[in-house]
C-alpha cells in the first residue's frame, strides 16, 4: 500500500511542480538516519524470500517484523519536522499496535480478502505458509485496525488495507508533494528575472 502514496505523490508533484523542478528537489532530501529505511526494506525482502526455506527464520519472522516497525518509528520520530511524517508515524504505529497484540502478524478480514486471488485466500485459511498476515478470527484483538478495507477495480490495484495504511499513505503523499513543489514560485520569479519599472520617471535630456 505504501507504493500508492508514493505514486500518487509523484504524479501530482510532477503536475504541480513541473518535471525539472520536481526531480531537482529529490537531490535536496536531507533525512536523519537516512540509511535506516533502505536497510529495513532490504531486511523485509530477505525475510519474504527465504522464510519458506528456513524453519528458524519463519518462526522468528514475527519478532523481526516487530523490530522493523520499532526501528521505522524511531526513524520517523527523528524526522518528525518533515511535512507528512507525523501522519506516516501515526499510520505505522496503528499497524504496529494491531500486529503487536496479535502475535506479530496482521489480521485480515475474510470478507475483505474475498477480492484477492483465491490462492492467497486459501493460504490464509489453511495457514499453509507463515507470513506477516493471518486470517481474522474470534480471538483477534483490535480487529478494526486490521486489514478490513477491500480495494478492487476500478481501483488500479486489488488489495486489502487497514486504517493505518490509509493514514500512512496520506503522510507519504503530503511529504512527496511538498518536496516536489516547495520553492516552485520562487524558482519561477528567479527565472523571469527582475521586472523593469514601467512607471520609472524619465529625466529630460538637455
Amino acid at each position: 500500500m505504501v507504493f500508492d502514496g508514493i505514486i500518487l505523490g509523484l504524479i501530482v508533484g510532477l503536475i504541480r511542480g513541473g518535471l525539472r523542478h520536481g526531480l531537482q528537489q529529490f537531490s535536496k532530501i536531507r533525512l536523519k538516519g537516512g540509511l535506516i529505511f533502505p536497510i529495513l526494506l532490504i531486511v523485509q525482502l530477505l525475510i519474504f524470500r527465504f522464510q519458506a526455506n528456513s524453519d528458524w527464520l519463519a518462526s522468528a519472522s514475527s519478532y523481526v517484523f516487530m523490530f522493523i516497525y520499532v526501528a521505522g518509528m524511531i526513524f520517523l520520530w527523528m524526522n518528525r519536522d518533515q511535512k507528512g511524517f507525523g501522519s506516516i508515524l501515526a499510520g505505522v504505529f496503528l499497524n504496529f499496535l494491531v500486529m503487536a497484540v496479535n502475535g506479530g502478524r496482521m489480521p485480515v478480514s475474510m470478507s475483505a480478502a474475498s477480492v484477492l486471488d483465491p490462492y492467497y485466500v486459501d493460504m490464509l485459511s489453511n495457514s499453509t505458509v507463515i507470513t506477516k498476515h493471518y486470517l481474522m478470527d474470534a480471538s483477534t484483538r483490535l480487529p478494526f485496525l486490521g486489514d478490513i478495507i477491500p480495494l478492487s477495480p476500478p481501483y488500479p490495484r486489488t488489495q486489502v488495507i487497514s486504517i493505518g495504511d490509509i493514514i500512512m499513505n496520506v503522510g507519504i503523499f503530503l511529504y512527496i508533494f511538498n518536496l516536489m513543489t516547495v520553492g516552485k514560485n520562487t524558482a519561477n520569479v528567479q527565472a523571469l528575472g527582475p521586472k523593469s519599472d514601467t512607471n520609472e520617471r524619465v529625466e529630460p535630456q538637455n
Side-chain angles (χ1 to χ4, degrees):
M1 178 63 182
V2 295
F3 297 108
D4 299 39
I6 293 174
I7 294 172
L8 185 59
L10 287 172
I11 293 173
V12 179
L14 286 173
I15 294 173
R16 294 293 302 274
L19 179 62
R20 181 178 179 182
H21 178 78
L23 295 180
Q24 284 178 340
Q25 290 301 103
F26 280 93
S27 65
K28 301 179 181 179
I29 293 179
R30 298 293 183 270
L31 297 175
K32 300 173 184 176
L35 290 177
I36 294 178
F37 180 75
I39 291 175
L40 296 179
L41 180 61
I42 292 173
V43 171
Q44 285 201 73
L45 292 175
L46 289 175
I47 293 175
F48 288 135
R49 171 62 181 83
F50 296 107
Q51 67 177 351
N53 302 322
S54 171
D55 294 337
W56 176 86
L57 183 60
S59 61
S61 62
S62 59
Y63 300 102
V64 177
F65 284 131
M66 290 295 93
F67 170 79
I68 290 173
Y69 269 86
V70 171
M73 287 189 291
I74 293 174
F75 166 72
L76 293 169
W77 177 258
M78 290 168 58
N79 294 280
R80 62 190 181 279
D81 57 318
Q82 299 286 334
K83 188 175 183 64
F85 270 50
S87 180
I88 301 173
L89 176 59
V92 171
F93 173 75
L94 291 178
N95 284 346
F96 166 80
L97 179 61
V98 68
M99 290 178 67
V101 298
N102 288 287
R105 294 191 293 167
M106 172 65 77
V108 182
S109 165
M110 182 61 182
S111 59
S114 62
V115 302
L116 301 175
D117 188 313
Y119 175 72
Y120 180 73
V121 177
D122 183 63
M123 288 194 302
L124 282 174
S125 301
N126 299 322
S127 299
T128 54
V129 294
I130 299 177
T131 68
K132 63 182 295 187
H133 299 86
Y134 81 99
L135 196 61
M136 192 178 294
D137 55 34
S139 65
T140 299
R141 299 175 179 176
L142 303 179
F144 63 93
L145 292 180
D147 283 345
I148 60 173
I149 305 171
L151 296 177
S152 57
Y155 193 82
R157 292 201 304 141
T158 300
Q159 55 186 316
V160 180
I161 64 174
S162 66
I163 296 174
D165 289 333
I166 295 175
I167 296 174
M168 178 175 57
N169 273 273
V170 169
I172 293 172
F173 169 80
L174 290 175
Y175 172 71
I176 294 179
F177 175 77
N178 180 71
L179 173 68
M180 299 182 71
T181 58
V182 67
K184 174 63 176 177
N185 293 334
T186 301
N188 288 339
V189 171
Q190 291 176 346
L192 291 174
K195 296 181 179 179
S196 60
D197 187 355
T198 57
N199 297 322
E200 182 182 357
R201 186 178 63 181
V202 179
E203 295 293 340
Q205 296 181 358
N206 295 328

